[in-house]
Amino acid sequence: MHEILEKAQLSPNVTLLRVSAPRIAEIRQPGQFVIVRRGPGAERIPLTIADADPGAGSITLVIQAIGKSTMDLVELEPGEAIQDIAGPLGSPTELLEQGHAVCVGGGVGTAVILPIAQGLGRRGVSVTSVIGGRSREWVILEDELRACGEVVVCSDDGSYGRHGFVTEALKDLLDEGGIDTVYAVGPVPMMRAVSEMTRPYGVHTVVSLNSIMIDGTGMCGGCRVEVGGQTRYACVDGPEFDGHLVDFRLLADRLTTYRSFEQQALEHREACKAEASR
Amino acid sequence: MTDQPAPGERPVPTKKERMQIDRQLMPEQEAVVRAHNFGEVNLGFDEQLAMLEAERCLLCPKEYCVDGCPVSVNIPRFIDRLARGDIAGAAQSLLDDNALPCVTGRVCPQETQCEGVCLRGKTGRPVAIGYLERFVADWAGAHPEALPPIAIADSGRRVAVIGSGPAGLTAAGELVKSGHKVTVFEAFHSPGGVLIYGIPEFRLPKDIVQAEVDRLVAKGVEIRPNTIIGKTYTLPELREMFDAIFIAVGAGLPVFMHVPGENLKGVYSANEYLTRVNLMGAWNPDSDTPILKGRRVAVVGGGNVAMDSVRTAKRLGADEAICVYRRSRGEMPARVEEVHHAEQEGIRFDFLVAPIEVVGDDKGWVTGLRCVRMELGEPDSSGRRRPRPIPGSEFTIDCDEVVVAIGTRSNPVLTRTAPELQVNEWGYIVTDEHGMTSMPGVFAGGDIVRGAATVILAMGDGKHAAHAIDAWLRGEYPPAAEPAAGEADEESAGHRHPAHAAVAAH
């Protein structure tokens, strides 16, 4: 059992849970994830390790509550526990050795960018983070990223920072030049747009793919993606790949596999809640 | 052995009387009913049927059946005790030889092992050894008070077992018997390996597997779930923490067909399909894990995994569940009983058919499986006639779901973290004849050594390796011949290291 040590609301639907997982906290590296199962009957879902505190034996999970399983998870309160956490899984990020990296985070993807920016910062790589959200309240982890370097904040509605998408801010940075690698994590359309934007500049671009998976060790094959025309498993070969080689259309398509189930599960959950509160 | 019954025992029949008894039939759920539920197909013998069937055993002086068993169960001994009415004695005998008898009594391919060499089979039908094993094992599970635990002196040695499938659990059971402290590491949240994620509820109920695990835990085996060796700990790290290690991680990676369209929505590996349904309970509407329920499901392959998948599809509500196999019926590696049950349940078999493409619509969903008809040519290295395509015979099977059950291969997650561990060109771990790897004190067995095989062969490896590990811990490696549970001769060792067959079978 993994006790919830701390809980914080980062944006209207993004929750931070700091949970006890001493071994994982000790050895995890940027880019790695865990498989979480809340308890009996619950799904196994992959979540990136946003941060870790080996001294406290805890890892930080940042969860966007969009489906039944994630909503169930963020309902847990400090003192309660997650039954199963397995990991750390996935290949660690191939961190740039030196130079200048731009870390682009969209929505909850910003939580995946954070450990990468921290890892780069520890190596002495110059980091510029570009993060965004619909409006001010959807921008997360800005202070944490500021500890790693410069941060450009964007909001779609102009309510905070620069008005517009992260890709527009990225374009300005690319035009300035001197960027060695771009790390981009967010919704599939955002990662595709970033990859298309960096391609003509010839800047190496790393994206993190959030495929559907069960075991996280290569055993189910559900997370298969196409990279450079080859079928790869996001869980063991990734989750990070060269954004210029990823078939984003296939990824987006496969992510819709269980959409009707997800809708039903949500409706059922809401009906149960309504019943319980009556 | 005496022919005189002790007081209270059943009388012992003569050989002539034994020969006159016909093989008892296994009570089953009716096919039309069971094709729509996940309840167990075989319902099990009752005491009367079991004792009657036990009387059919001729107690041959040459115990062919024991030689035919990869874990050398002393079959005549437990059957004789059962026939005499001593069920507790039969249970004790069985459990001494086999750590997972409830499992093997249900999933072993008896027809090619013990029952295949039973003398009664020469003139009629063999003794139903598997059904008797199941009866005695289930009785033991229901009567723990009849089998009091035996106190074992602690050896002070610690052994790590990696993987809680049939090989790992068997090794754990044997090692605790020798007084060693055993910790079993499992990557999933529940122990059992293929017994839990692979074999469906209707063939092997999950509470049966849990009971077998509980029995081991009661004997002192510690289970550590959610721990991936190669990720949570590396193999060298584990080696520092334990006196010996047994690697039994199976051949976990799915093999795909490598045909166009295989990444369409609605194409599953059998691993994923069965894991969703079995481990995650997706057959149960209360589970949060979804599963696509195709109306027409094509399952590719002819092994036990294919049978499990196609019968699962039927139970999930498919109007038509089709087994697509590139060879003919005679070459199917699946257990005879599974094929028979599948036919009864209305599974369609398309033999001599090989997929060449998965066809989809503009939304990315599967709409069909493009295939070519095959004919059998000359025998290949497996001795089976090699199928070859018939030019111009292409056709499409309409379906909205495809499950690929054509085998599995080794998973490099563990071996990658131990460069000194020798593996062969397919990534399987190389061992000596006793199961020791290139790392001293590190042993391996089951599918990660032999390639995808059966539950019972993995169990044989687990038992064999446990014996060798015990010898190694006592400084007596290589081990002397194994204690002859049933005076097993060396022929049974021939089961242990066959060529790596890429055949889906568990």
Side-chain angles (χ1 to χ4, degrees):
Chain A
M1 297 295 267
H2 302 268
E3 193 187 342
I4 312 288
L5 304 171
E6 183 189 343
K7 180 178 179 178
Q9 198 69 30
L10 300 187
S11 87
N13 75 347
V14 175
T15 305
L16 177 151
L17 294 180
R18 194 163 63 80
V19 302
S20 166
R23 177 63 186 172
I24 297 170
E26 184 188 337
I27 58 166
R28 67 93 204 194
Q29 294 177 63
Q32 290 191 297
F33 65 94
V34 288
I35 294 271
V36 172
R37 176 176 171 267
R38 185 183 137 146
E43 263 188 290
R44 291 170 62 93
I45 53 174
L47 293 169
T48 302
I49 305 164
D51 203 352
D53 182 345
S58 68
I59 59 171
T60 299
L61 304 175
V62 175
I63 304 160
Q64 184 172 26
I66 45 164
K68 178 182 185 295
S69 296
T70 45
M71 284 181 182
D72 287 349
L73 266 180
V74 303
E75 266 186 0
L76 291 171
E77 295 296 333
E80 293 183 297
I82 294 172
Q83 183 164 318
D84 303 294
I85 299 182
L89 297 164
S91 301
T93 307
E94 285 178 21
L95 293 170
L96 200 57
E97 297 288 339
Q98 56 185 2
H100 183 201
V102 174
C103 295
V104 188
V108 74
T110 309
V112 183
I113 281 297
L114 176 64
I116 298 172
Q118 288 171 335
L120 291 165
R122 277 195 294 271
R123 290 187 169 201
V125 173
S126 163
V127 178
T128 304
S129 299
V130 180
I131 59 174
R134 271 178 260 168
S135 62
R136 179 173 194 139
E137 60 181 356
W138 296 89
V139 173
I140 65 171
L141 301 171
E142 181 186 346
D143 293 343
E144 288 80 354
L145 282 165
R146 252 182 228 293
C148 311
E150 195 191 333
V151 179
V152 179
V153 181
C154 309
S155 59
D156 299 357
D157 66 355
S159 61
Y160 188 50
R162 183 182 162 135
H163 187 175
F165 297 131
V166 288
T167 40
E168 292 158 19
L170 173 65
K171 184 166 193 319
D172 291 350
L173 291 169
L174 288 166
D175 285 337
E176 283 171 27
I179 299 171
D180 298 294
T181 297
V182 169
Y183 297 89
V185 188
V188 176
M190 171 257 179
M191 290 192 286
R192 173 165 38 193
V194 166
S195 299
E196 286 314 312
M197 176 153 289
T198 58
R199 193 191 299 274
Y201 293 88
V203 175
H204 180 52
T205 301
V206 176
V207 294
S208 179
L209 307 186
N210 55 336
S211 312
I212 297 166
M213 59 181 75
I214 302 178
D215 59 295
T217 63
M219 175 268 195
C220 80
C223 66
R224 54 199 193 276
V225 291
E226 282 180 25
V227 182
Q230 302 274 318
T231 294
R232 309 288 298 277
Y233 291 176
C235 66
V236 286
D237 300 324
E240 293 171 8
F241 294 100
D242 182 339
H244 295 152
L245 299 177
V246 169
D247 183 340
F248 287 106
R249 189 202 55 77
L250 179 73
L251 173 68
D253 198 34
R254 287 185 62 82
L255 285 171
T256 66
T257 302
Y258 299 106
R259 187 154 286 172
S260 65
F261 292 87
E262 286 156 11
Q263 196 56 41
Q264 274 175 20
L266 266 186
E267 284 164 12
H268 183 67
R269 184 179 192 275
E270 277 156 25
C272 290
K273 291 262 162 197
E275 186 71 27
S277 64
R278 204 179 284 166
Chain B
M1 227 173 272
T2 167
D3 282 349
Q4 294 304 311
E9 282 192 350
R10 300 173 83 235
V12 175
T14 63
K15 185 179 169 188
K16 193 177 171 194
E17 286 167 342
R18 290 173 190 267
M19 287 299 289
Q20 282 167 351
I21 308 168
D22 286 333
R23 178 167 160 133
Q24 302 304 302
L25 297 179
M26 171 59 80
E28 293 174 356
Q29 255 205 92
E30 242 189 291
V32 289
V33 176
R34 71 178 192 243
H36 304 286
N37 70 42
F38 279 82
E40 201 174 5
V41 172
N42 286 347
L43 301 174
F45 280 171
D46 62 17
E47 203 171 296
Q48 195 187 351
L49 278 181
M51 288 183 185
L52 194 57
E53 180 65 29
E55 288 182 352
R56 296 184 67 231
C57 176
L58 303 178
L59 303 171
C60 309
K62 175 87 179 103
E63 297 167 332
Y64 298 102
C65 52
V66 180
D67 296 346
C69 174
V71 296
S72 305
V73 168
N74 190 331
I75 293 163
R77 185 175 67 191
F78 95 78
I79 291 185
D80 183 41
R81 290 182 185 176
L82 176 60
R84 290 164 185 265
D86 176 15
I87 311 180
Q92 194 60 63
S93 168
L94 182 56
L95 282 165
D96 280 349
D97 298 336
N98 181 350
L100 309 169
C102 294
V103 172
T104 49
R106 287 170 168 83
V107 306
C108 263
Q110 288 93 3
E111 70 268 15
T112 60
Q113 297 175 164
C114 53
E115 295 182 23
V117 291
C118 174
L119 215 56
R120 296 270 334 233
K122 301 254 187 247
T123 52
R125 301 202 63 204
V127 175
I129 299 168
Y131 296 161
L132 293 178
E133 179 179 46
R134 172 188 159 141
F135 170 79
V136 171
D138 285 358
W139 185 94
H143 299 85
E145 73 289 347
L147 301 156
I150 305 154
I152 296 158
D154 184 358
S155 71
R157 299 306 184 98
R158 289 171 53 78
V159 184
V161 172
I162 309 173
S164 67
L169 291 180
T170 300
E174 295 293 325
L175 287 163
V176 287
K177 271 199 236 167
S178 306
H180 308 304
K181 180 89 187 76
V182 181
T183 304
V184 179
F185 293 92
E186 167 56 43
F188 271 130
H189 54 268
S190 293
V194 73
L195 308 175
I196 283 286
Y197 75 72
I199 304 178
E201 185 75 17
F202 57 81
R203 198 149 78 82
L204 181 65
K206 299 311 145 213
D207 56 1
I208 295 276
V209 180
Q210 190 57 51
E212 300 267 36
V213 172
D214 290 346
R215 181 153 47 204
L216 294 174
V217 170
K219 286 184 187 166
V221 173
E222 183 198 3
I223 309 272
R224 290 271 300 272
N226 298 317
T227 310
I228 303 109
I229 306 307
K231 290 290 183 185
T232 318
Y233 296 93
T234 65
L235 185 63
E237 280 173 329
L238 212 62
R239 187 69 191 87
E240 295 292 308
M241 297 153 64
F242 290 87
D243 298 305
I245 291 180
F246 180 55
I247 303 171
V249 294
L253 294 195
V255 173
F256 282 94
M257 301 180 286
H258 302 293
V259 299
E262 207 161 14
N263 292 336
L264 287 163
K265 288 175 290 183
V267 182
Y268 281 118
S269 71
N271 267 4
E272 179 178 7
Y273 187 68
L274 292 174
T275 300
R276 283 180 178 274
V277 175
N278 302 328
L279 174 76
M280 305 310 295
W283 61 274
N284 179 344
D286 290 339
S287 169
D288 286 349
T289 300
I291 183 83
L292 297 173
K293 294 174 183 166
R295 305 310 305 171
R296 292 175 55 82
V297 181
V299 174
V300 183
N304 287 322
V305 179
M307 291 303 98
D308 286 344
S309 301
V310 77
R311 295 171 71 198
T312 293
K314 186 78 184 173
R315 283 162 171 77
L316 289 174
D319 296 331
E320 189 145 50
I322 309 151
C323 170
V324 178
Y325 183 49
R326 67 196 182 113
R327 301 183 197 242
S328 65
R329 189 193 174 92
E331 288 83 28
M332 285 180 80
R335 280 177 93 222
V336 168
E337 188 177 41
E338 308 313 324
V339 181
H340 175 64
H341 281 160
E343 284 179 326
Q344 288 178 332
E345 290 161 15
I347 302 302
R348 178 177 128 190
F349 286 85
D350 279 6
F351 291 117
L352 291 167
V353 167
I356 49 175
E357 182 182 358
V358 185
V359 190
D361 63 17
D362 57 357
K363 299 270 197 314
W365 290 98
V366 171
T367 58
L369 187 63
R370 187 100 182 121
C371 296
V372 63
R373 296 205 184 277
M374 311 291 279
E375 60 187 357
L376 293 179
E378 296 304 307
D380 64 13
S381 58
S382 74
R384 299 180 299 176
R385 293 176 65 193
R386 187 193 302 273
R388 58 183 181 219
I390 302 172
S393 66
E394 293 81 3
F395 68 106
T396 302
I397 297 172
D398 288 334
C399 60
D400 53 6
E401 194 168 336
V402 173
V403 179
V404 183
I406 57 172
T408 56
R409 58 200 171 93
S410 64
N411 189 332
V413 162
L414 177 141
T415 52
R416 221 180 250 157
T417 65
E420 61 270 57
L421 187 69
Q422 198 191 337
V423 298
N424 68 16
E425 60 183 302
W426 301 284
Y428 295 113
I429 297 172
V430 176
T431 69
D432 69 15
E433 59 184 309
H434 306 293
M436 187 144 85
T437 69
S438 55
M439 289 171 72
V442 177
F443 296 73
D447 284 3
I448 191 57
V449 172
R450 59 171 66 247
T454 59
V455 166
I456 188 65
L457 290 175
M459 289 176 59
D461 287 354
K463 189 169 180 177
H464 181 59
H467 180 65
I469 291 168
D470 183 49
W472 195 82
L473 290 172
R474 286 187 284 102
E476 294 167 11
Y477 193 85
E482 285 181 46
E487 287 99 31
D489 59 27
E490 282 307 303
E491 285 159 36
S492 63
H495 289 285
R496 288 177 184 127
H497 296 283
H500 295 129
V503 168
H506 55 217

